[in-house]
Amino acid sequence: FFFKQKTAYEMQRGLVGSEMCIRDSPITTEGIDKFFEKQDFNVIVVADSDRDTTLALADYARAHKLKFVMADVKGVCARVFTDFGETFEALDKDGEEPVEVMIQSITTANPGVVKALGSQRHKLETGDEIYLTEVEGMNQLVVSGKTINGTRHKVTVIDPFTFSIGDTTGFSPYIRNGIAKQIKLPKKFKFLPLRQVLENSALPLDENLTFVDAAKMDDNVLIQLGFEAIATFELKNNKLPRAWNSEDAKKIWEEAQILAPKYKLQI
C-alpha cells in the first residue's frame, strides 16, 4: 500500500501537534474523526504507541474500511499486527519467487505422483498450481502429438519430496527430465480486528500467522502476556518502565500475574 509523501508528512505534523497525542488526554472517536475527515489515504501505520491510542486507531481503520498496521518493539521482542479487513485479496500469497522443481519421475496413475530430483525438496503446498515443461515422454494417448508439457495441475503434497497432480493415466510412460513450475495465484485472506485479537484468551493459530523461528512458535502467548503487562504499566504510570530498574520490573511482574489467568498461564 502506498500513500503520498506529502500526505504522510502532513499526518505526522498533525498528530504531533494535536491533543490526541497528549498522554493524559485520552483519544476519543470524535477526535480521530475530526482529524482524519479531510485526509485521503487508505493505510494507517502505528509504531510504538500506547495501547489505548493504538486500539482507537485500529477501531477507526476497521470502521472506515482502511488498512491497519501496528509495529511494536519492547527490548528483544517485537510484534507486528495487520488488519486488512474481512476480505483482502493478495496477488501473491507469500511474495517469494515461484518455485521450480526438477523432476526425477512421474507415475502414470490416478493420481499421478511427481518425485523431485535427488534430495531436492519441492517446497510446494497443497492447493498450489504448477505447469510442466521439458518432460520427455508422457504423450497423450488420445490426441496424437500432444504431451503433458504445458499442462496445469493442482498439487497435493505427499511429503517434502513428492506430490500428486491428478489423473495421468491418459499419458504414455515418463522417460526423463522435466521441470514443475509454480503458478502464482491470487489468494483471499480474512483478518481479525486488533481489539478482538487482544481480548482473545487463546491467540488464534491460523494461516495468516508466520513464524520466523519454529523453535519458539509456542511462546507467542507468553510474549503477548509480556507486551500486555508493559502496556498496562504504561497506562497506569504514564511512562514506559526504566531500563534495569528493579522497582519497575516488580510492577510489570505484578501486572503479568494479574493478566496471566486470562491467557491460561501460570507464572
Side-chain angles (χ1 to χ4, degrees):
F1 307 97
F2 301 91
F3 49 82
K4 296 179 181 178
Q5 185 176 2
K6 178 181 178 183
T7 303
Y9 176 68
E10 288 175 347
M11 286 174 63
Q12 183 183 32
R13 287 187 60 194
L15 282 172
V16 169
S18 73
E19 63 181 12
M20 292 197 305
C21 284
I22 300 174
R23 292 187 180 276
D24 58 359
S25 177
I27 278 188
T28 64
T29 304
E30 294 76 14
I32 293 176
D33 288 339
K34 182 178 179 181
F35 177 78
F36 286 135
E37 62 183 355
K38 295 183 179 179
Q39 302 292 344
D40 182 18
F41 61 93
N42 62 358
V43 185
I44 295 177
V45 181
V46 179
D48 291 333
S49 178
D50 64 83
R51 183 173 58 194
D52 285 358
T53 301
T54 301
L55 283 171
L57 290 169
D59 291 343
Y60 179 89
R62 171 61 71 140
H64 291 79
K65 302 186 184 304
L66 304 174
K67 280 62 175 182
F68 178 81
V69 180
M70 179 199 74
D72 197 5
V73 178
K74 296 292 187 293
V76 297
C77 295
R79 60 180 177 175
V80 176
F81 174 86
T82 56
D83 176 11
F84 297 160
E86 283 286 334
T87 303
F88 177 78
E89 183 174 81
L91 298 179
D92 183 342
K93 69 177 182 179
D94 54 21
E96 299 291 337
E97 289 294 321
V99 172
E100 293 192 4
V101 183
M102 297 182 67
I103 296 172
Q104 179 172 306
S105 64
I106 306 175
T107 64
T108 49
N110 186 14
V113 176
V114 179
K115 179 175 176 54
L117 182 65
S119 60
Q120 176 191 10
R121 293 173 177 263
H122 54 69
K123 299 180 181 179
L124 295 168
E125 299 177 0
T126 296
D128 284 347
E129 289 194 20
I130 54 111
Y131 72 93
L132 300 172
T133 184
E134 300 182 30
V135 175
E136 295 184 34
M138 303 208 76
N139 297 305
Q140 283 192 5
L141 300 177
V142 176
V143 182
S144 177
K146 297 290 185 178
T147 73
I148 201 168
N149 290 318
T151 57
R152 293 176 59 153
H153 305 269
K154 183 167 286 190
V155 167
T156 300
V157 171
I158 299 173
D159 59 41
F161 309 98
T162 58
F163 56 90
S164 64
I165 57 172
D167 189 359
T168 57
T169 56
F171 297 91
S172 62
Y174 170 87
I175 298 176
R176 66 176 71 86
N177 299 333
I179 300 174
K181 296 185 177 182
Q182 182 187 27
I183 301 170
K184 287 288 189 174
L185 299 171
K187 183 174 182 178
K188 290 185 177 180
F189 293 89
K190 179 180 179 180
F191 292 83
L192 296 175
L194 177 61
R195 190 176 295 275
Q196 181 178 340
V197 171
L198 292 182
E199 291 177 353
N200 196 338
S201 60
L203 297 180
L205 301 178
D206 60 26
E207 62 182 350
N208 294 346
L209 294 177
T210 299
F211 295 97
V212 295
D213 188 345
K216 296 183 176 66
M217 63 188 301
D218 293 329
D219 292 344
N220 62 332
V221 176
L222 189 60
I223 293 172
Q224 174 67 11
L225 173 61
F227 272 104
E228 287 301 289
I230 293 173
T232 303
F233 174 94
E234 183 181 10
L235 288 172
K236 288 183 177 180
N237 297 276
N238 202 28
K239 65 176 183 178
L240 287 169
R242 293 164 288 182
W244 305 105
N245 184 277
S246 58
E247 181 183 353
D248 288 354
K250 181 181 179 181
K251 290 181 179 178
I252 290 175
W253 174 253
E254 291 170 351
E255 296 294 348
Q257 288 180 309
I258 295 171
L259 292 167
K262 169 185 174 182
Y263 297 102
K264 301 179 181 178
L265 293 174
Q266 291 183 346
I267 60 173

